[in-house]
Amino acid sequence: MWLPGAALGLLGLSLQQPSAPPTSQPSPIMSPSFALKESSDVLSPKDMLSLPRPGDPLPNIAGDLALVPISQYSSDDRKTHKLLAVVPLESGSREYSLPLPKGGDAFWIDSRTIAHVVEAESGKKQDIFAVPVTYENGIVAAGEPVLVGSFPVTTAADFCYSPCSGTLVFSAYVYADGDLEAVTANDEAYDNRGNTALVYDQTFERQWDTWVGPKHKSLFTVKLQKEDSKYVLRNSFTNVLKGTELSSPVEPFGGKDDFDISDSQIIFTAKDPKLPQAMHTKQNIYLVGFDGSNLVELTSGIHGATHAPVFNRQGTKVAWLQLDEDGHESDRHKIVIHDLIKGISFTVTQEWDRSPSVLVFSEDGDFLYFTAEDVARVKIFVLPVPPTPDKSTTHPKLSDPYKTPVALTDSHAASGIQILPNGRISFAVSSLTAPKDVFILGNLRKVEVDVMNMTPNIYRGELTRITKFSADSLQGKSLHPGEEFWFEGATQQIHGWILTPPGYQTTDMKKWPIVLLIHGGPESCWQDSWATFVVMINPTGSTSFGQNLTEGIKEDWGGKPFVDLRNGWKYVLDHYPQVDPERAVAAGASWGGYCYQVRLTPWIQGNPEFGFNFKALFCHDGVFDVTYKGYATDELFFFNHEWGGRPWEPKSLELSRKYSPVYTVSKWSTPQLIVHGSKDYRLPETEGIAVFHALQQLGVPSRLVIFPDENHWVLNPGNSLKWHYEVFRWFNQYVGKTG
């Protein structure tokens, strides 16, 4: 999702002291005539930024404790503070907070020892410490950290530990020689090369927010074992991908979800080294020993990306997610199982019209548990592992209960599922009213029996909430859980959310200003997960409603999605008389920013009967010139798929001429705020600057906000506060009420 945390509340929530539109361009500093509202019942941007931001739980082997990394911004010192919550996985117990003033990564070595990796004082290496913990009578305590060794780099990450073999697997950046211990010397030589030139013979030259340098990610193993009752990290590191041309995890976002380990092997995904990376999404699945031996590819034939490879605990089977089409990053994810004993691969969700995201095998390896988007939620599903067929196939003959996954949760957004002993799974849940908290789903043995017996009303487990990280901070805040609505779109029923403000009454008439938020992607959706908005519609191109809707946007960016948004907007105005249509604004980012620039703005002016009537617009890192985007974006495969070919080819040119905002500028007249990050290499900042220049020359009120140090998102808390200030100030200027 593109919104930086909780973004736009209903405008009546956070606006005060509105001012009349200025006759000249306003000062870029914060205006004394406008302030963001703060009160005990309002979640202000400052409140939102100060909330604790938990990650997903990482349980220990015993399944009685979990680690949860938490970051929290303080407006007092303008710093983000990090801590590690050690959480007992039973309700009623209290978590223990371990401050991490230098940040770092943490993982379990054994059920009572935490490993903490942090950059050393020298700034040239990372140290690893062992932190003992105790857990007695529901109380957790931690002892003093003990240094157990060092990594000769500062980029070691994505740690996975095998207690059985005493092997630590991790990722780090290395040069072409693949030598981890030579990185520091190579860095010094590169930094002192006498020039700053970056030279490329193939793509990627830059990706997301970073210019590609001479280093790449690789996977390493090293022994981490007890000696004389103390853990010791050996200083012999094995690059298991050395000399292979493979790089894993896959950049820019790949991490621990790109590989998994058994007691002797690593399964991982990597880009196909034979293909130009910016033009292809194809990733292969590989298996390699801890010592770098016996590297084999498990995928074969023509396919797209692969994700989330995982072992079963018996080491006899692996599973991963696979997309059929190379170049299509939003193709449907299908679960592939590979029997390591028989050497046979088979697809098990060929007929299921949803896309799983994270996989885990049950303790006995007979079931798969996974998350998947479904109707604007992220649910947990279970599916029995079918018997291995006689030969590899993408279309095995499966009967119930092996064909259709069963949903075990039905609301909010689940993430980070992990198998626990005694028929349980741990995971995090966020919703429209709260950030992540830890939950346990138990009694899975009964669930599995019901699934195998195809019981009509399947038991779905015992759900227990473990933490309430943000409860105190959100106490008294008025947060709407979200109201769903459905309406007839261009080709099918379309889903949307509406959130109402504090003080809202069904008897209100034309009282409340309203904002339409258009999600980015475009293949994504507004979920029941943490972030606050007003009206948000999931038009053609959205995920979680079946692949047909997702695919419907291809080569039709300004067509069916616009019809859906128009129909949804009309539905809201017809069914919510509390809304004041004369105080309406729209906001979008990425594809959302594109959407109203290409279609909504000109249609507002020329077709008032459609009833948009927006008084102001906001675009964050949007698209202006579609053809230029096809040349300048980092991931070329995305444009080539979405726009019917490369930017100079006839179909692409025709679609660009039909749907590119650059050809509609003469009709623009709605005031617009433009925000762009200079490090956005997905949609370069010149897109936003071009929109600003066009509006300025047309004499349309407009403001440009550039964040030189941000990418496609706004991540710095101070910048996020400024972002919220500028957005609310802009909308207040045009739809705020005096007094």
Side-chain angles (χ1 to χ4, degrees), residues 439-652:
F439 283 74
I440 298 291
L441 189 63
N443 205 6
L444 297 182
R445 301 290 187 230
K446 178 172 172 48
V447 172
E448 293 168 0
V449 169
D450 279 8
V451 169
M452 291 304 297
N453 292 334
M454 294 181 285
T455 304
N457 295 312
I458 291 175
Y459 176 68
R460 299 178 190 275
E462 180 181 343
L463 185 65
T464 304
R465 181 175 180 172
I466 302 298
T467 63
K468 296 181 179 180
F469 289 124
S470 304
D472 291 343
S473 299
L474 294 174
Q475 184 70 35
K477 303 295 184 185
S478 181
L479 296 172
H480 195 278
E483 179 181 332
E484 297 177 270
F485 62 94
W486 293 83
F487 59 91
E488 195 63 43
T491 60
Q492 67 179 70
Q493 284 280 302
I494 297 296
H495 173 271
W497 294 98
I498 189 164
L499 283 81
T500 57
Y504 170 87
Q505 300 290 332
T506 57
T507 55
D508 293 337
M509 296 299 293
K510 294 187 176 182
K511 177 179 179 179
W512 298 101
I514 186 170
V515 57
L516 171 66
L517 295 188
I518 307 168
H519 69 62
E523 290 91 352
S524 64
C525 70
W526 295 122
Q527 298 174 349
D528 180 9
S529 61
W530 178 241
T532 54
F533 335 104
V534 181
V535 174
M536 38 200 189
I537 294 168
N538 288 313
T540 297
S542 297
T543 56
S544 84
F545 301 93
Q547 196 63 22
N548 283 342
L549 189 71
T550 303
E551 298 283 356
I553 196 170
K554 181 183 178 182
E555 301 176 16
D556 196 29
W557 276 38
K560 293 187 290 294
F562 169 74
V563 175
D564 296 341
L565 291 169
R566 187 185 68 195
N567 291 359
W569 187 247
K570 185 176 185 301
Y571 178 93
V572 170
L573 295 184
D574 288 346
H575 290 79
Y576 291 87
Q578 303 86 358
V579 167
D580 184 353
E582 297 301 316
R583 298 171 66 207
V585 295
S590 193
W591 177 79
Y594 155 87
C595 190
Y596 67 68
Q597 281 175 193
V598 67
R599 299 290 284 178
L600 296 189
T601 302
W603 278 74
I604 290 167
Q605 309 305 327
N607 300 276
E609 69 275 11
F610 288 161
F612 282 114
N613 196 32
F614 294 130
K615 303 304 182 185
L617 302 172
F618 162 55
C619 175
H620 174 101
D621 288 41
V623 180
F624 176 60
D625 187 335
V626 168
T627 300
Y628 173 73
K629 175 191 181 299
Y631 289 105
T633 190
D634 57 344
E635 295 184 337
L636 302 175
F637 59 77
F638 179 82
F639 177 91
N640 296 344
H641 175 270
E642 295 290 323
W643 290 87
R646 294 171 294 184
W648 61 86
E649 293 177 339
K651 178 186 279 190
S652 174

Side-chain angles (χ1 to χ4, degrees), residues 215-482:
K215 290 188 284 189
H216 66 280
K217 273 188 176 182
S218 195
L219 292 172
F220 295 84
T221 60
V222 63
K223 288 295 182 179
L224 174 59
Q225 297 171 313
K226 267 191 174 181
E227 291 184 2
D228 298 326
S229 74
K230 294 182 179 180
Y231 280 101
V232 176
L233 182 76
R234 300 294 187 185
N235 57 9
S236 178
F237 301 93
T238 300
N239 182 348
V240 301
L241 305 184
K242 188 173 183 177
T244 65
E245 296 186 317
L246 299 174
S247 177
S248 185
V250 178
E251 297 192 77
F253 303 121
K256 289 173 65 174
D257 53 341
D258 274 358
F259 69 96
D260 191 28
I261 65 173
S262 67
D263 291 333
S264 60
Q265 293 177 303
I266 306 170
I267 184 172
F268 65 96
T269 179
K271 281 264 196 176
D272 191 317
K274 303 182 185 68
L275 299 174
Q277 293 192 12
M279 290 170 260
H280 294 269
T281 58
K282 187 172 186 283
Q283 294 174 214
N284 301 324
I285 295 290
Y286 300 89
L287 196 66
V288 67
F290 280 172
D291 60 357
S293 64
N294 302 317
L295 176 70
V296 294
E297 182 186 344
L298 301 183
T299 44
S300 61
I302 299 173
H303 60 268
T306 57
H307 302 293
V310 61
F311 280 97
N312 68 2
R313 293 194 175 182
Q314 295 70 31
T316 58
K317 289 186 176 72
V318 292
W320 63 84
L321 302 175
Q322 186 164 306
L323 287 65
D324 288 344
E325 185 179 349
D326 183 17
H328 184 11
E329 66 178 2
S330 297
D331 198 7
R332 185 157 62 89
H333 296 54
K334 301 174 183 179
I335 298 176
V336 176
I337 295 175
H338 180 85
D339 189 316
L340 293 171
I341 306 300
K342 297 182 178 180
I344 290 174
S345 297
F346 54 103
T347 305
V348 294
T349 54
Q350 190 68 253
E351 299 179 12
W352 193 53
D353 195 19
R354 292 294 185 266
S355 287
S357 53
V358 176
L359 304 170
V360 291
F361 281 94
S362 61
E363 282 186 273
D364 57 15
D366 291 337
F367 290 81
L368 277 168
Y369 290 87
F370 54 90
T371 54
E373 287 185 332
D374 184 41
V375 192
R377 281 92 171 166
V378 183
K379 301 178 182 178
I380 295 175
F381 292 85
V382 62
L383 182 70
V385 175
T388 302
D390 295 332
K391 61 180 181 180
S392 294
T393 175
T394 57
H395 290 76
K397 294 181 180 179
L398 300 175
S399 58
D400 289 328
Y402 300 108
K403 288 199 304 184
T404 306
V406 175
L408 302 182
T409 60
D410 57 13
S411 61
H412 310 322
S415 62
I417 58 173
Q418 297 279 350
I419 288 292
L420 302 176
N422 304 317
R424 299 172 299 149
I425 54 176
S426 64
F427 56 98
V429 173
S430 68
S431 69
L432 286 166
T433 58
K436 290 180 179 179
D437 271 305
V438 178
F439 283 74
I440 298 291
L441 189 63
N443 205 6
L444 297 182
R445 301 290 187 230
K446 178 172 172 48
V447 172
E448 293 168 0
V449 169
D450 279 8
V451 169
M452 291 304 297
N453 292 334
M454 294 181 285
T455 304
N457 295 312
I458 291 175
Y459 176 68
R460 299 178 190 275
E462 180 181 343
L463 185 65
T464 304
R465 181 175 180 172
I466 302 298
T467 63
K468 296 181 179 180
F469 289 124
S470 304
D472 291 343
S473 299
L474 294 174
Q475 184 70 35
K477 303 295 184 185
S478 181
L479 296 172
H480 195 278

Side-chain angles (χ1 to χ4, degrees), residues 17 31 44 143-144 148 173 252 267 369 432 530 549 567 726:
Q17 299 179 356
S31 169
S44 69
E144 289 296 317
V148 300
Y173 283 95
I267 184 172
Y369 290 87
L432 286 166
W530 178 241
L549 189 71
N567 291 359
E726 291 293 344

